[in-house]
Amino acid sequence: VIPQTSRNGKLTPVLRLEPTRLSGAEISRVTAHHYGMVRDRGIGAGTVIELVRSGLVIPKIERIIETAKSEIPTNCPCCDAELKWIDDSLFCLNSRECSDQIEKTMGYFFEILGNNDGFGAATITTLYEHGIRSISDIYALENDPQRLADMGYKEKTVSNLVEALTKSRSVQVEDWRFLAAFGVNRLGTGIAESLLQHHAIETIHTLTAEQLVEIDGFAEKSAKLIIEGLAAVRSEFEAVFGLGFNLEITPNINDSDAMSSAIAGKIVVFTGSMQQGSRGDMEKHAKSLGAKVAKSVSGKTNYLVTGEKVGANKIAAAQDKGVTVITEADYLELIK
């Protein structure tokens, strides 16, 4: 059982297995949910487990067949700080000095932002080794290319890295994606988008947990964790936000146009090739009219909007769930 420290300090137990063929692949590692599971279910060297591949892709522990003695770490494998139990998980709270947490936090920002290919894990590790400790530190390199050269990067690589940083600020990116990139616990891209549908990004640090609970889908515990997380990253957020990113602002669903729309509050799914614009553009426009856009049909879906090349089986399956199926032309007429 190998402990790995995540960007938020939680230790993930990774089980190294005797290599086993399963559904056409050789499996040698599987992740346990948390160390409470390791402790309570007797997972250790010699444990025999039954594996499945969820969706024929991701290996998952189905059940424990034979238990063994569990060894629970007491110190972070990265920084050696003493670990703390929080619910069923072990956490390293040394976020300011734990290199795993710092590197993964910086890498996560660029991964979620999604418009910068220059700052992968290897580059982030090199930056860390040369004293870079935050996202704002990385963006400071845009005006200090000599520091990159001093790290050993060649002239062309320095130019590419500086260009990548400039591009990441100038290429338009959704404000909810920018917010989610700071890695606040419970504030993934979907939740960030819901939050910014009700409150502008400039106001997020003035919000209370009570205000978040008023938004559909925000539970009290999650709201408190989000507020605490936002407070923890406030100085870094403000430093990076102040660099002038080209943010696409999420429309507020309480705007008059959205409130009066025929699809306000409705769950809409788009499928097939659209003629009016790309599917992504149509999804953004639907959101600006107060709709909730989903990627797949469920019993709660109100409208399935079909473009070209949509299979009859998909339409029939939606109709069986009671979903209203309309063509792109019908949809455009609906939202006039």
Side-chain angles (χ1 to χ4, degrees):
V1 182
I2 304 167
Q4 293 185 349
T5 308
S6 68
R7 60 182 172 80
N8 66 0
K10 179 182 175 181
L11 257 67
T12 301
V14 178
L15 315 187
R16 188 170 62 203
L17 312 175
E18 177 182 318
T20 303
R21 297 291 297 179
L22 179 62
S23 303
E26 185 173 88
I27 309 298
S28 60
R29 294 161 71 91
V30 64
T31 301
H33 294 297
H34 44 67
Y35 262 96
M37 177 179 178
V38 171
R39 175 196 62 199
D40 298 339
R41 298 183 67 179
I43 299 175
T47 296
V48 179
I49 64 176
E50 179 180 340
L51 282 177
V52 297
R53 289 182 71 195
S54 182
L56 296 180
V57 178
I58 302 171
K60 185 176 98 170
I61 300 171
E62 181 75 357
R63 66 188 178 99
I64 307 299
I65 298 173
E66 293 181 18
T67 63
K69 181 181 179 181
S70 302
E71 293 187 6
I72 307 299
T74 57
N75 296 81
C76 175
C78 174
C79 66
D80 203 39
E82 185 178 352
L83 300 173
K84 303 291 184 185
W85 282 102
I86 300 177
D87 297 327
D88 282 327
S89 297
L90 280 173
F91 279 85
C92 169
L93 304 182
N94 186 28
S95 59
R96 295 184 180 274
E97 298 176 353
C98 181
S99 62
D100 275 358
Q101 294 185 59
I102 296 169
E103 288 187 40
K104 289 173 182 176
T105 295
M106 294 190 295
Y108 184 81
F109 179 85
F110 292 104
E111 178 186 340
I112 298 301
L113 205 64
N115 63 0
N116 186 327
D117 296 329
F119 289 82
T123 302
I124 293 294
T125 296
T126 299
L127 296 182
Y128 181 87
E129 289 171 349
H130 289 84
I132 301 299
R133 295 292 184 269
S134 67
I135 301 160
S136 54
D137 281 350
I138 294 177
Y139 278 96
L141 297 171
E142 189 178 355
N143 299 314
D144 190 7
Q146 183 57 46
R147 190 173 178 188
L148 285 168
D150 292 341
M151 295 178 191
Y153 287 114
K154 302 298 183 183
E155 182 178 353
K156 179 61 175 177
T157 303
V158 169
S159 176
N160 289 341
L161 290 174
V162 169
E163 183 181 351
L165 290 173
T166 303
K167 178 183 176 182
S168 72
R169 292 191 300 105
S170 58
V171 173
Q172 191 174 66
V173 64
E174 300 94 334
D175 56 356
W176 51 263
R177 188 179 299 280
F178 177 81
L179 175 58
F182 287 88
V184 171
N185 190 17
R186 305 291 178 93
L187 192 60
T189 52
I191 297 297
E193 184 175 13
S194 296
L195 172 57
L196 296 182
Q197 285 176 340
H198 294 82
H199 300 281
I201 193 169
E202 295 86 355
T203 68
I204 58 170
H205 290 107
T206 67
L207 302 177
T208 64
E210 289 72 21
Q211 287 174 294
L212 264 59
V213 171
E214 293 174 358
I215 302 173
D216 184 33
F218 283 74
E220 185 175 347
K221 182 177 180 180
S222 293
K224 289 180 178 178
L225 289 172
I226 290 170
I227 294 299
E228 290 172 2
L230 287 172
V233 303
R234 180 169 184 171
S235 60
E236 179 71 349
F237 175 88
E238 291 178 344
V240 179
F241 183 73
L243 296 175
F245 279 73
N246 181 11
L247 299 182
E248 178 184 342
I249 304 303
T250 298
N252 190 303
I253 65 172
N254 295 316
D255 288 346
S256 57
D257 287 348
M259 293 297 287
S260 60
S261 163
I263 59 173
K266 305 294 185 182
I267 299 176
V268 181
V269 174
F270 294 88
T271 188
S273 301
M274 301 294 168
Q275 298 301 306
Q276 180 71 12
S278 71
R279 195 187 308 176
D281 289 340
M282 295 192 70
E283 289 175 346
K284 289 178 182 178
H285 184 249
K287 290 176 183 178
S288 74
L289 297 178
K292 299 177 182 178
V293 176
K295 295 297 184 182
S296 58
V297 174
S298 72
K300 295 182 179 180
T301 304
N302 298 106
Y303 294 108
L304 174 64
V305 182
T306 61
E308 297 180 348
K309 301 178 182 178
V310 180
N313 289 342
K314 190 168 189 177
I315 293 175
Q319 291 172 332
D320 287 344
K321 294 178 180 178
V323 176
T324 300
V325 179
I326 57 177
T327 65
E328 180 182 359
D330 293 335
Y331 170 75
L332 295 175
E333 185 67 27
L334 175 67
I335 64 174
K336 266 188 179 180

